[in-house]
Amino acid sequence: MLHLAVLAPFLAAVLIPFFYKALRKIHTGWFVLPVPLLLFLFLSTYFKDVWRGVHNVYTLDWIPSLGINFSLYIDGLSLFFALLITGIGTLVVLYSIYYLHITEKLGHFYVYLLLFMGAMLGVVLSDNLFILYTFWELTSISSFLLIGYWYYREGSKYGALKSMLITVFGGLSMLGGFLLLYTVTGTPSIREIIERSDLVLNDTAFPWILILILLGAFTKSAQFPFHTWLPDAMEAPTPVSAFLHSATMVKAGLYLVARLSLLFAGNDLFFILVTGFGLLTLCWGSYMAVRQTDLKAILAYSTISQLGMIMAMLGFGTGVAILAAVFHILNHATFKGSLFMVAGIVDHETGTRDIRRLGGLFTFMPITATLAFFGTFSMAGFPLPIFNGFLSKEMFFESSRHFEHASPLVETVAPVLPVLAVLGSIFTFVYSVMLFFRTFAGKQRDTLEKKPHEAPFGMLVSPLILVSLIVIIALLPNFFNERLLAPAVAAINGEHFESHIKFWHGWGNPALYMSLIVLAVGTFLYLIRTKWESFYQILPGKLSAAKSYDAIVNGIFKGSTSLTRAYMTGSIRSYMAYILVFFIILISVTMTVTDGFAMSLEDLAPLAVPEFSIAVIMAAAAIGTVLMKNRIAAILVLGIVGYGLSLLFVFFRAPDLALTQLIVETVTVALFLLCFYHLPDLKKEYQSARKKVVNLVISVSVGVIVTLVAISSHSTKLFEPISDYFIENSYELGGGDNIVNVILVDFRGLDTMLEILVLGLAAIGIYSMIKLKGKKGENE
Amino acid sequence: MRLKNVTNDLILKTATTIIVFLILGFSVYLFFAGHNAPGGGFIGGLMTSGAFVLLYIAYGFQTMNRVVKIDFKTFIPIGLTIAVLSGVGSFLYGQPFLSHTDGYFHLPIIGKAHLATAMIFDLGVYFTVIGVTMTIILSIAKDEGEQVENAE
């Protein structure tokens, strides 16, 4: 059944285009809506098993011989993510029904969305590394399709390509990590790998495994410096941004880190990488979010920073930190989902998302503004019991101060971490407040294209549900803790972690003071923001990840273009030179390395005068051919070489070869002459062979190499030649005395057959080239 | 070849009629001698086409095309087919491809003769080589002739 659940979105994706074509009048979203809803309800039935600690594995054979099976595993963590995906998915589909007009290409949209949903479910439920990877890449691809949904927009294409390149880069690195993991442990099953964590931790490849897998997680979850694709992914329709780029896909990286944290837990490298990059992303993302003026860009940077915060908590690795991380994943999904939907409503009803043009919308859109109020202040972690963000933020502060495993490294960096956490949270507070007040408070500008008004009810339903969840979670955190979070924490941590989420920890709790510092400094910074906004000109100034990405991509394009231009000259002469130089290098290096140059003088025949003189004449003719200034003369001189060769055959007692060589040489010379007759008059340049030093060096080297190879191969006899067999058996087996001919037609008749085939093809080729060349202007 | 400066090459033509038969005879000899003495299908084929080339040189295309109505291109498939069939024949006797045998036979006129199936294969080679050589030379030479004619 679980397999069917994962595959259901794919099946639905196949069927949706038919609904879209057949029932044009009804918004296709209504047909999609039941899919995530039913999945959500179905997945809820696994609660009982998960509470009781029954963790089922469901396996479906796919490639059993490679150990790659479609095995699904459901525990607290998978269930938590699966419910998040289907739950938010339902709300997003509902929201998109009102957001996307019926004239859009809805078939495409919902097919991509369903593909994404199925892939995401596959990622969180897979137990097999390679199945996980398959679904992982499928999320990248469907996200690419969704970002590029309005494919006629330049920005969409750019954003889609960027996210594709970055996430696939990470995905492929991750595959490398998985393969190493598989080689080390010998099993692709994640559970079994975690059981064999000793093998992994003690292996020399461990740093590579960790770094490669983390590359995958960091690129997917938009961690510094790979966060740059996320702001550009905001070109997607807002439901997509709400679903993929806040609640689900960007959390796939978090899921992966959480899933494997049992494997890496307590390792210093894991701690420093995950925590370090997490906190860096938290601070950088929140710092950069303040600078943005586009609602969705603020939300994108805010997502980056919140993901960094969760990543950092996963890096802390303590029970309370993991609980805080899981709790914050839930909270972030609720408030960020609702905020994106609010941003979509504002965009939809006013025609702009630029906060410099917005303001005073509270009077026009009170409901939307109220929803945004809850979202933003929950994001800021405002200390009121109605904001769930505050609870998890305070747990974050709490967890940044205590670490269970004490190594020198942890002890060194421990004092810095709370400071960084507070710093990131201050900026989080500033942009959250800015987001709300600059949109909804203040004066109304009259530059808007549309007259702002309240959104239709259907559009408000989804954010309304999410905002109610914010409040409900904030009021009843332990209800969710026991049912949803505790099993997930148990799955990440390996053991059950007893905890109770409280709003009020008492006066003695430092986390409270950290929250108060954030509140005070954040308010102060917001009020004087015009004074320090110019600071952004200095930092980051010209430095930014987006620019580095552009520079890298352009650099690769330019570099490869110029590289190709440099060696693909189009001149056959250069290609010939490459081939020969490669030949020289390869042969000479091989011969030197293997000590292959051998010279033995044992087996040499005495040198006779006729052979010697013929050889001298041939050499002279060969040199003459090169030096000849006239083409015809060169051909004729070349003929001397050919006839000399046939004379040599005579002296070396090869009558058949001599006869053949004689006739073939004649034919060749005649054909050469015929061909040069055909050369166009204008190009009859009687130029001598180019006397370039390069040519000389290359040709001399080739000659020397070939000579050396010939000498050494003659000097090395590995076994008796086969010719004795032919001489003995030629008459008996072949019925002939002419051994050459018997070999040609009998012993090795197949060669001859194929050679005459080659001749036939050549003749037909020449015939068709000449006869079928077509009239002028056609086929030319 | 209808060239303006065509001369009446009487000596060439007369000598050709005699020499061509000598060459043809020699080529047939080379072909049959192949198994036991220098020669064989390849050289035999080249020699035969040499004889034809001589005829073309002496008498020109027009005359030759009237007298010898052979399309040399068809020699290529014929030769290849013979060669392949000679190899396929060994299947009939349950032997691998291209197995050859030989033996002594009494033929009506020649008497006792040593025949080998390899000869059939050689015959294929012979035909192919004639076809190939003549096709190449005639196509190039004709093309040249046509160009000269067009130029006039």
Side-chain angles (χ1 to χ4, degrees):
Chain A
M1 271 306 274
L2 196 59
H3 288 102
L4 199 64
V6 173
L7 295 176
F10 297 107
L11 290 175
V14 172
L15 295 175
I16 282 307
F18 295 107
F19 283 109
Y20 176 61
K21 288 276 173 198
L23 300 159
R24 282 276 187 178
K25 292 269 166 61
I26 308 166
H27 198 286
T28 316
W30 291 114
F31 304 113
V32 180
L33 193 58
V35 179
L37 190 62
L38 288 175
L39 282 175
F40 182 79
L41 296 174
F42 169 71
L43 286 165
S44 311
T45 59
Y46 283 92
F47 260 129
K48 262 188 218 156
D49 284 352
V50 171
W51 282 334
R52 275 185 282 143
V54 182
H55 299 154
N56 288 322
V57 183
Y58 305 87
T59 304
L60 198 67
D61 278 0
W62 187 28
I63 317 175
S65 55
L66 295 178
I68 299 175
N69 291 320
F70 189 15
S71 51
L72 299 179
Y73 175 64
I74 195 156
D75 63 359
L77 183 65
S78 337
L79 185 66
F80 171 68
F81 268 95
L83 288 176
L84 208 61
I85 292 159
T86 47
I88 305 275
T90 315
L91 298 177
V92 162
V93 171
L94 182 66
Y95 176 76
S96 69
I97 292 173
Y98 292 93
Y99 184 83
L100 286 173
H101 197 255
I102 201 159
T103 49
E104 299 265 14
K105 286 190 173 139
L106 294 173
H108 293 202
F109 181 78
Y110 286 108
V111 166
Y112 302 157
L113 200 68
L114 283 168
L115 279 182
F116 172 78
M117 197 182 291
M120 204 58 213
L121 278 177
V123 166
V124 300
L125 292 172
S126 290
D127 181 49
N128 192 300
L129 282 182
F130 301 108
I131 301 293
L132 176 73
Y133 172 74
T134 311
F135 284 118
W136 184 279
E137 290 300 23
L138 205 51
T139 61
S140 296
I141 292 167
S142 48
S143 158
F144 166 77
L145 291 170
L146 282 168
I147 297 170
Y149 176 63
W150 287 311
Y151 52 82
Y152 39 83
R153 292 187 190 170
E154 212 46 56
S156 295
K157 285 191 280 188
Y158 174 77
L161 186 64
K162 194 175 188 178
S163 81
M164 182 77 162
L165 287 176
I166 292 178
T167 53
V168 168
F169 159 73
L172 287 173
S173 312
M174 193 184 80
L175 178 64
F178 282 177
L179 287 170
L180 279 175
L181 206 53
Y182 178 56
T183 342
V184 170
T185 58
T187 170
S189 161
I190 295 172
R191 283 170 312 115
E192 286 171 29
I193 286 171
I194 289 173
E195 279 166 21
R196 298 176 201 179
S197 62
D198 288 346
L199 271 177
V200 182
L201 288 172
N202 297 325
D203 199 88
T204 45
F206 171 73
W208 286 109
I209 296 177
L210 183 65
I211 289 169
L212 288 173
I213 291 180
L214 284 184
L215 260 179
F218 284 0
T219 49
K220 201 73 158 181
S221 281
Q223 299 294 298
F224 188 88
F226 306 111
H227 65 272
T228 172
W229 66 267
L230 191 62
D232 284 303
M234 291 303 128
E235 293 293 335
T238 303
V240 172
S241 308
F243 188 37
L244 273 70
H245 307 128
S246 70
T248 53
M249 184 174 100
V250 287
K251 290 191 173 138
L254 298 176
Y255 168 79
L256 189 73
V257 172
R259 176 53 84 200
L260 294 177
S261 69
L262 208 50
L263 180 65
F264 302 128
N267 185 279
D268 270 358
L269 187 63
F270 175 76
F271 169 77
I272 197 76
L273 283 178
V274 176
T275 308
F277 276 96
L279 286 174
L280 186 60
T281 314
L282 163 67
C283 296
W284 186 252
S286 55
Y287 173 68
M288 288 300 284
V290 181
R291 188 193 194 186
Q292 309 303 319
T293 51
D294 181 54
L295 278 181
K296 278 176 86 175
I298 298 174
L299 290 173
Y301 275 102
S302 140
T303 305
I304 292 166
S305 104
Q306 305 275 334
L307 291 169
M309 174 177 153
I310 300 168
M311 195 63 98
M313 289 191 270
L314 288 173
F316 294 162
T318 54
V320 62
I322 287 173
L323 174 65
V326 176
F327 191 30
H328 200 71
I329 289 174
L330 175 68
N331 294 343
H332 179 249
T334 54
F335 66 68
K336 193 51 65 70
S338 68
L339 279 178
F340 265 111
M341 290 173 183
V342 164
I345 291 171
V346 170
D347 184 20
H348 207 265
E349 305 307 336
T350 62
T352 181
R353 295 196 311 248
D354 194 332
I355 54 170
R356 287 168 300 189
R357 297 176 61 198
L358 293 168
L361 288 179
F362 196 95
T363 42
F364 299 99
M365 322 168 80
I367 303 176
T368 316
T370 314
L371 296 175
F373 171 76
F374 280 98
T376 44
F377 280 86
S378 179
M379 180 159 78
F382 199 80
L384 271 182
I386 46 168
F387 299 125
N388 59 0
F390 170 68
L391 301 174
S392 48
K393 183 65 69 72
E394 208 174 43
M395 288 165 75
F396 168 56
F397 289 146
E398 184 66 38
S399 65
S400 70
R401 294 174 48 252
H402 301 292
F403 299 102
E404 276 164 7
H405 61 287
S407 72
L409 178 84
V410 177
E411 275 166 20
T412 326
V413 295
V416 192
L417 302 182
V419 179
L420 285 173
V422 170
L423 192 70
S425 303
I426 289 172
F427 282 103
T428 307
F429 188 86
V430 174
Y431 71 70
S432 305
V433 174
M434 187 181 85
L435 181 70
F436 180 72
F437 281 106
R438 290 193 66 180
T439 313
F440 295 102
K443 272 187 222 158
Q444 202 249 323
R445 324 266 163 95
D446 38 27
T447 47
L448 298 174
E449 285 134 37
K450 299 179 184 175
K451 193 166 161 45
H453 58 83
E454 192 54 87
F457 178 70
M459 223 167 178
L460 290 169
V461 172
S462 297
L464 203 58
I465 294 172
L466 285 172
V467 166
S468 338
L469 274 173
I470 293 176
V471 180
I472 294 169
I473 293 171
L475 291 175
L476 303 164
N478 289 308
F479 176 81
F480 288 92
N481 179 15
E482 282 161 25
R483 282 158 186 76
L484 201 58
L485 306 181
V489 173
I492 300 173
N493 216 13
E495 59 205 22
H496 195 71
F497 176 74
E498 269 312 321
S499 68
H500 193 74
I501 300 171
K502 283 184 292 186
F503 172 70
W504 182 248
H505 291 273
W507 288 110
N509 189 1
L512 175 70
Y513 298 108
M514 286 162 89
S515 290
L516 290 176
I517 291 170
V518 169
L519 183 62
V521 179
T523 318
F524 178 67
L525 276 181
Y526 173 70
L527 292 174
I528 60 156
R529 67 181 184 280
T530 44
K531 301 248 171 23
W532 55 276
E533 262 173 355
S534 58
F535 188 65
Y536 281 101
Q537 305 298 329
I538 306 164
L539 186 83
K542 284 185 178 175
L543 275 175
S544 91
K547 278 184 188 133
S548 331
Y549 164 84
D550 288 340
I552 290 170
V553 171
N554 286 333
I556 289 172
F557 265 111
K558 275 187 194 147
S560 49
T561 312
S562 55
L563 184 69
T564 314
R565 288 225 178 104
Y567 77 89
M568 298 290 281
T569 54
S571 141
I572 292 179
R573 187 183 159 270
S574 350
Y575 302 153
M576 203 66 207
Y578 302 149
I579 294 170
L580 291 177
V581 167
F582 188 72
F583 169 81
I584 294 163
I585 293 170
L586 196 67
I587 302 274
S588 54
V589 168
T590 312
M591 295 283 274
T592 319
V593 169
T594 59
D595 206 14
F597 288 115
M599 200 179 280
S600 130
L601 300 173
E602 290 167 15
D603 214 11
L604 298 183
L607 187 67
V609 180
E611 284 104 320
F612 182 72
S613 41
I614 293 168
V616 169
I617 292 169
M618 280 172 73
I623 293 170
T625 313
V626 179
L627 299 178
M628 218 41 86
K629 301 229 181 266
N630 183 305
R631 231 183 232 142
I632 305 284
I635 294 161
L636 293 176
V637 175
L638 196 61
I640 296 177
V641 180
Y643 291 125
L645 185 64
S646 95
L647 255 180
L648 274 186
F649 283 142
V650 171
F651 281 106
F652 290 137
R653 285 170 295 163
D656 292 275
L657 284 186
L659 269 175
T660 316
Q661 172 66 25
L662 197 66
I663 301 178
V664 167
E665 186 60 34
T666 315
V667 172
T668 325
V669 170
L671 284 178
F672 265 133
L673 291 174
L674 270 176
C675 290
F676 285 122
Y677 184 87
H678 279 259
L679 281 184
D681 290 341
L682 275 179
K683 283 189 183 169
K684 262 182 196 162
E685 301 164 46
Y686 291 99
Q687 62 171 15
S688 58
R690 287 195 197 180
K691 285 172 194 165
K692 283 199 173 170
V693 183
V694 185
N695 287 5
L696 189 69
V697 169
I698 291 176
S699 51
V700 168
S701 326
V702 170
V704 169
I705 290 279
V706 171
T707 312
L708 284 176
V709 169
I711 291 173
S712 51
S713 62
H714 184 262
S715 307
T716 320
K717 287 258 178 346
L718 297 176
F719 37 75
E720 285 302 302
I722 197 177
S723 51
D724 293 338
Y725 171 84
F726 289 135
I727 294 168
E728 278 164 27
N729 294 302
S730 150
Y731 191 78
E732 246 164 69
L733 295 177
D737 284 329
N738 183 347
I739 302 163
V740 175
N741 202 37
V742 169
I743 291 173
L744 282 179
V745 300
D746 198 333
F747 289 128
R748 311 287 303 270
L750 195 64
D751 297 357
T752 314
M753 175 173 289
L754 297 178
E755 275 158 22
I756 58 175
L757 180 69
V758 169
L759 282 178
L761 288 177
I764 291 165
I766 289 171
Y767 178 78
S768 40
M769 267 204 305
I770 291 174
K771 296 287 170 187
L772 309 177
K773 62 188 167 192
K775 298 280 171 274
K776 264 211 168 118
E778 67 181 74
N779 292 335
E780 269 189 36
Chain B
M1 271 166 108
R2 193 169 47 80
L3 293 174
K4 270 179 186 169
N5 55 351
V6 167
T7 48
N8 193 6
D9 301 318
L10 186 63
I11 299 173
L12 177 64
K13 286 180 182 171
T14 321
T16 300
T17 41
I18 303 164
I19 291 171
V20 157
F21 286 105
L22 286 178
I23 298 176
L24 280 178
F26 182 57
S27 73
V28 173
Y29 163 75
L30 277 177
F31 171 70
F32 280 111
H35 230 48
N36 294 307
F42 196 82
I43 304 165
L46 282 176
M47 271 293 169
T48 312
S49 33
F52 280 112
V53 170
L54 187 57
L55 281 174
Y56 273 95
I57 289 172
Y59 292 100
F61 278 111
Q62 289 185 330
T63 323
M64 284 304 290
N65 287 347
R66 275 200 304 276
V67 179
V68 190
K69 284 179 179 150
I70 305 171
D71 187 359
F72 286 103
K73 286 193 294 296
T74 53
F75 274 48
I76 302 171
I78 291 171
L80 286 174
T81 315
I82 294 173
V84 172
L85 285 181
S86 79
V88 172
S90 55
F91 288 147
L92 296 176
Y93 300 95
Q95 296 292 318
F97 188 60
L98 275 177
S99 303
H100 290 303
T101 180
D102 64 298
Y104 290 91
F105 298 95
H106 272 287
L107 292 179
I109 304 167
I110 309 167
K112 192 182 176 190
H114 175 215
L115 292 179
T117 50
M119 188 64 87
I120 306 172
F121 182 75
D122 235 6
L123 191 68
V125 177
Y126 179 76
F127 276 118
T128 316
V129 170
I130 295 177
V132 167
T133 323
M134 294 311 292
T135 310
I136 294 175
I137 290 176
L138 288 186
S139 348
I140 294 177
K142 248 185 205 166
D143 189 50
E144 180 195 351
E146 278 162 15
Q147 279 187 359
V148 172
E149 279 173 30
N150 290 341
E152 278 175 10

